[in-house]
Amino acid sequence: MKFAQEFRKSLQRGGFPQKWVDSAVPYRQLKKCLKKVTQELCELGLDKDTVARLAAGAKHPSTVGFHYIFDGKDGASKHFRPKLTFFIHIQDEVAVDAQLTPPTRSFLETIASRAPKALTDWPDQVESPAMTESIDDSNPGEAPVLRSNPSPVRRVEVPLVFDGEFFDILQTDVSNLDALQEEEQDKLVNQITTLGHEISKATKPTRGRKARDDLEIWRGIFVSYVDACVFFSTREIDHGARTSAQAVMQLQWFQDQVLSRKLIQRLRLDKSRQAYIRFLNMNALLLQMLKFQEMNSLAVTKILKKFDKRTSLGVSRVFPTTVQSTHLFAGSAARDICAQMSSELIAVVPQLDDYLCPICFAVAYWPIRLDCQHVFCSRCLVKMSRKVEKYCPLCRAEVLMQAGLDNLDSKRAAFLREYFPKEVKEKIRANERERNREIFGPNYSDSPCSVM
Ligand SMILES: [Zn+2]
Ligand SMILES: [Zn+2]
């Protein structure tokens, strides 16, 4: 199937909102316009083979070179204009290349005669064919020497109409797509924030038993979700944004985890169950956005390749960097939204891992915040100060000696008591046991005395 047809069908079958479909890359229109570009170039004698030959000047020495670049934005348009510039060594008056077709020759003669008498240097971006001709190999056994070519160069810009039209359509569409994505992303971010508030409110431990149970379950759900790295992996092994196909698999893995642990059935509040459905819907929407972005990005790549194949002008590599699309080519949406999910959503359900003392790996209670802002449990710090340690074990700042009662983070202590009551109680008991062993010796046991 031809790509144009394939693209249209995928858009129809993708289940995208009509507004999205309407702003998709107008592939057919671009293809039609490309025909006009090709025709225009052919009429000038610049068919793709000739241009390819001129581009590969080194292999077929001639006296002509050119470059095709995206020039700055002019006043009338916010878009970059493509510009075709020829450089002709005038030493031979006009391109003397036996291999040129008559129309190309006449084109070059015309533009050379029109060229201003002002001379220029052969530009760096264009390989100077004449230079390669003057490789000095008269001293066999020595490396060839490049002699700079003394012949003057005329620079002529070739005014084309339809390439401007082509890139105008393309750039307009890319910026429309960027705007659409921005809008959808904002909407999604708002939904994430709202959902985060709702889950946090519903599962506040002070609201009772059901809330506390659900909080525990949400913890499990989000641990699996973070493990799944659905849209963006932070792991070293596969770091970066996922493709939509990978995201589908990861999302499936996440749902399987949740199902196999019967997490949803165990949710006790209606609000929690509804929130979970909305959470899944958000993921589905993000997945759609990713798919849509991939399809459009592919369409742009395809049409630019076609452009190069039909004209040999070589734009497919420069275009994406020149237009500097913020979304279409950057693939930043997934990363941004994932960051949003972890800060707004996953963080509302506190995870024990984030509150462990980095020395004893138990909940950091009582939490002591050193001046470097690192938090440890009071017990570990007491032991360290006995050994006259001066430095924070994480950042090596010299803050340990100054630490005192003022460093107790009482807000965090209250938070830990609320969200991790079990772990806090266990930690208090462990601290006591340890202290008693220090006082009464290693055989101390806190179990009640049994009478023989
Ligand atoms: Zn500790
Ligand atoms: Zn530190």
Side-chain angles (χ1 to χ4, degrees), residues 202-414:
T203 58
K204 209 159 167 39
T206 46
R207 291 176 79 97
R209 183 83 222 162
K210 282 184 180 178
R212 284 197 292 275
D213 286 352
D214 277 13
L215 180 64
E216 205 57 48
I217 293 165
W218 275 110
R219 246 175 226 153
I221 293 174
F222 285 144
V223 165
S224 290
Y225 187 77
V226 170
D227 282 350
C229 300
V230 179
F231 294 101
F232 192 86
S233 171
T234 47
R235 287 187 297 230
E236 207 171 306
I237 181 170
D238 52 0
H239 192 275
R242 304 255 194 221
T243 62
S244 64
Q246 289 168 328
V248 169
M249 274 166 51
Q250 298 309 111
L251 205 52
Q252 190 57 53
W253 180 86
F254 160 69
Q255 280 178 278
D256 289 347
Q257 290 288 308
V258 169
L259 272 179
S260 68
R261 288 159 64 197
K262 299 197 168 42
L263 292 178
I264 306 312
Q265 291 98 305
R266 280 166 48 207
L267 280 174
R268 298 182 67 185
L269 301 164
D270 277 348
K271 274 207 171 124
S272 286
R273 277 189 291 271
Q274 287 157 10
Y276 181 71
I277 292 167
R278 275 166 55 206
F279 178 64
L280 284 187
N281 288 341
M282 277 178 203
N283 278 282
L285 180 62
L286 190 51
L287 188 61
Q288 284 285 76
M289 277 165 67
L290 186 59
K291 260 191 213 162
F292 186 69
Q293 183 190 324
E294 275 174 6
M295 285 169 55
N296 282 290
S297 174
L298 179 67
V300 173
T301 310
K302 289 262 182 195
I303 198 73
L304 287 175
K305 272 200 181 145
K306 207 178 261 294
F307 188 96
D308 279 346
K309 212 171 135 196
R310 301 233 175 122
T311 65
S312 309
L313 285 172
V315 292
S316 52
R317 262 169 309 154
V318 286
F319 180 79
T321 48
T322 311
V323 295
Q324 288 177 346
S325 143
T326 42
H327 297 288
L328 192 59
F329 299 110
S332 59
R335 195 187 43 229
D336 292 353
I337 293 187
C338 279
Q340 196 72 21
M341 287 232 194
S342 35
S343 68
E344 301 269 354
L345 204 51
I346 296 166
V348 303
V349 177
Q351 305 284 342
L352 185 62
D353 278 0
D354 297 330
Y355 299 94
L356 297 181
C357 164
I359 299 176
C360 63
F361 296 111
V363 64
Y365 198 84
W366 294 84
I368 306 292
R369 186 180 292 276
L370 297 177
D371 291 346
C372 60
Q373 296 307 314
H374 288 123
V375 180
F376 300 89
C377 78
S378 54
R379 189 78 201 132
C380 286
L381 288 177
V382 165
K383 287 192 276 185
M384 281 178 69
S385 64
R386 277 188 204 145
K387 289 189 212 150
V388 210
E389 300 267 3
K390 290 190 216 157
Y391 308 102
C392 163
L394 289 185
C395 67
R396 310 303 298 163
E398 202 177 335
V399 288
L400 236 61
M401 299 311 260
Q402 296 97 283
L405 263 185
D406 289 348
N407 292 74
L408 171 69
D409 188 336
S410 45
K411 226 170 142 188
R412 183 181 280 227

Side-chain angles (χ1 to χ4, degrees), residues 26-274:
Y27 191 83
R28 265 161 197 270
Q29 193 190 352
L30 286 165
K31 231 174 98 180
K32 272 187 203 153
C33 191
L34 176 56
K35 238 183 212 165
K36 290 191 257 176
V37 177
T38 323
Q39 212 174 346
E40 188 178 28
L41 286 166
C42 278
E43 279 163 13
L44 291 170
L46 295 171
D47 58 280
K48 63 177 174 35
D49 296 333
T50 304
V51 176
R53 224 156 39 75
L54 292 176
K59 274 175 251 152
H60 303 274
S62 82
T63 51
V64 183
F66 75 92
H67 68 201
Y68 189 62
I69 52 166
F70 288 95
D71 211 18
K73 302 171 184 186
D74 60 38
S77 164
K78 56 183 191 313
H79 295 149
F80 284 90
R81 310 292 312 174
K83 204 158 97 179
L84 179 60
T85 312
F86 272 83
F87 300 89
I88 304 166
H89 280 288
I90 57 157
Q91 167 186 339
D92 310 320
E93 199 43 50
V94 139
V96 188
D97 184 339
Q99 297 181 67
L100 290 179
T101 57
T104 314
R105 194 189 302 278
S106 94
F107 159 73
L108 290 171
E109 276 168 10
T110 319
I111 64 165
S113 67
R114 267 203 331 233
K117 293 292 169 246
L119 304 175
T120 171
D121 284 331
W122 196 270
D124 292 341
Q125 305 99 306
V126 181
E127 195 163 355
S128 168
M131 289 263 269
T132 36
E133 277 184 310
S134 54
I135 288 176
D136 185 353
D137 53 7
S138 56
N139 299 327
E142 277 181 31
V145 183
L146 278 177
R147 255 193 249 120
S148 112
N149 194 300
S151 67
V153 174
R154 266 185 211 166
R155 169 203 177 98
V156 198
E157 226 179 273
V158 182
L160 295 172
V161 176
F162 292 112
D163 66 334
E165 191 182 313
F166 179 92
F167 286 106
D168 230 28
I169 298 172
L170 194 55
Q171 290 184 76
T172 304
D173 191 68
V174 167
S175 42
N176 285 347
L177 279 171
D178 272 354
L180 176 76
Q181 196 151 30
E182 192 110 21
E183 194 187 312
E184 294 293 336
Q185 209 171 316
D186 285 352
K187 265 198 260 170
L188 197 54
V189 163
N190 281 338
Q191 286 180 21
I192 291 172
T193 312
T194 315
L195 188 67
H197 286 321
E198 283 177 21
I199 296 176
S200 129
K201 215 172 120 192
T203 58
K204 209 159 167 39
T206 46
R207 291 176 79 97
R209 183 83 222 162
K210 282 184 180 178
R212 284 197 292 275
D213 286 352
D214 277 13
L215 180 64
E216 205 57 48
I217 293 165
W218 275 110
R219 246 175 226 153
I221 293 174
F222 285 144
V223 165
S224 290
Y225 187 77
V226 170
D227 282 350
C229 300
V230 179
F231 294 101
F232 192 86
S233 171
T234 47
R235 287 187 297 230
E236 207 171 306
I237 181 170
D238 52 0
H239 192 275
R242 304 255 194 221
T243 62
S244 64
Q246 289 168 328
V248 169
M249 274 166 51
Q250 298 309 111
L251 205 52
Q252 190 57 53
W253 180 86
F254 160 69
Q255 280 178 278
D256 289 347
Q257 290 288 308
V258 169
L259 272 179
S260 68
R261 288 159 64 197
K262 299 197 168 42
L263 292 178
I264 306 312
Q265 291 98 305
R266 280 166 48 207
L267 280 174
R268 298 182 67 185
L269 301 164
D270 277 348
K271 274 207 171 124
S272 286
R273 277 189 291 271
Q274 287 157 10

